[in-house]
Amino acid sequence: AETGIGTAMDDLSLALADAVNRPFDPSVRTVVGSRAGALAERFADARARLDEMRGQADLRIRESINKLNSSLRQLASINDQVAKVASSGQPPNDLLDQRDQLVAEINQRMKANGYINADGTVSLFSASGQALVVGGSVAQFSLTADVLDPTRLSISLTTSGNQIPVSNDSLGGGELAGLMRFRDEDLRATGAKLGRLAGAISYAYNLQQSLGRDAAGVAQDDGGRRSHGGR
């Protein structure tokens, strides 16, 4: 993009080249400072964009968890209804269709293994073997602040009275695992690369700047002292 980091780096390089050719022109020095500031702003903008994307990912993760919990509760309710109808000897075809649809919806958000019982109810387990729905009993996913990083929301699963941390690998795939991978791996890696690039540019710029002289001819590494008699 014309306003991106690459363009800002090119603009700074051109301004520095101009300063080499016209070192005593104050307007050139002003342009260098302006271009350096513009590059810093582009880095800040990129960091802000990454933070915004992380916030959006958190919102989508929360939405996915809410929908997942709703589907699990509905499936547990269907199980109860199927068990009651099955005991009367009538085939609950409509309920079985709803059961299968809910299992399919849950699998869009995470990998879930379903086992059909003799009475037509389904027992649903996560890819890591945790019980999600067994009869009318249902597990619940929740979001909490990470102990090591309060700005990061972590997922946990409450099942059979136990609260278990959930990773994207333990989900086995699906929308929720994809969102977590994007937030915790892709965005984190991009942020780290951005930080390394900013650090490298800052170091190189400051190192080269320290080797030069100001407009009065004072060497930058003299701590502001003018050079006299070769000192």
Side-chain angles (χ1 to χ4, degrees):
E2 293 183 357
T3 57
I5 291 175
T7 299
M9 290 174 60
D10 291 341
D11 289 344
L12 177 58
S13 295
L14 292 174
L16 288 170
D18 200 16
V20 171
N21 294 326
R22 295 186 292 163
F24 299 110
D25 187 338
S27 64
V28 171
R29 292 174 176 267
T30 299
V31 172
V32 170
S34 176
R35 296 286 171 79
L39 177 57
E41 289 180 3
R42 296 292 78 75
F43 274 106
D45 290 344
R47 172 59 65 181
R49 178 56 180 159
L50 288 178
D51 290 341
E52 180 184 353
M53 293 172 69
R54 180 177 178 179
Q56 292 173 349
D58 279 338
L59 286 176
R60 292 186 61 189
I61 288 173
R62 187 180 297 278
E63 291 174 357
S64 185
I65 284 178
N66 288 339
K67 292 177 181 177
L68 180 57
N69 283 334
S70 176
S71 295
L72 292 174
R73 289 193 298 269
Q74 291 179 57
L75 183 58
S77 176
I78 291 294
N79 268 350
D80 285 340
Q81 297 176 61
V82 167
K84 291 177 182 178
V85 174
S87 64
S88 68
Q90 299 178 356
N93 293 329
D94 290 344
L95 291 174
L96 297 182
D97 289 342
Q98 294 179 52
R99 177 202 67 190
D100 295 343
Q101 179 62 34
L102 285 168
V103 171
E105 290 177 4
I106 292 169
N107 268 280
Q108 290 177 357
R109 306 192 186 283
M110 63 175 294
K111 174 65 177 176
N113 300 310
Y115 302 92
I116 306 301
N117 302 307
D119 61 358
T121 61
V122 63
S123 296
L124 201 64
F125 299 88
S126 70
S128 56
Q130 302 300 332
L132 299 176
V133 176
V134 178
S137 299
V138 58
Q140 179 172 327
F141 289 88
S142 59
L143 276 174
T144 56
D146 190 278
V147 176
L148 299 178
D149 181 6
T151 65
R152 176 181 177 273
L153 295 177
S154 59
I155 301 176
S156 60
L157 173 67
T158 301
T159 177
S160 303
N162 299 314
Q163 191 172 51
I164 303 168
V166 174
S167 66
N168 56 358
D169 290 335
S170 68
L171 291 170
E175 175 192 69
L176 187 54
L179 288 170
M180 291 177 64
R181 186 174 295 107
F182 172 72
R183 185 196 67 178
D184 297 337
E185 297 179 21
D186 297 343
L187 287 182
R188 183 174 296 177
T190 301
K193 290 179 181 178
L194 182 67
R196 289 195 296 269
L197 178 60
I201 291 174
S202 177
Y203 174 79
Y205 178 84
N206 289 332
L207 177 61
Q208 190 63 37
Q209 184 77 356
S210 70
L211 301 177
R213 297 175 179 273
D214 64 15
V218 179
Q220 296 299 294
D221 59 359
D222 278 350
R225 300 187 302 275
R226 293 181 178 274
S227 297
H228 297 288
R231 288 182 298 168

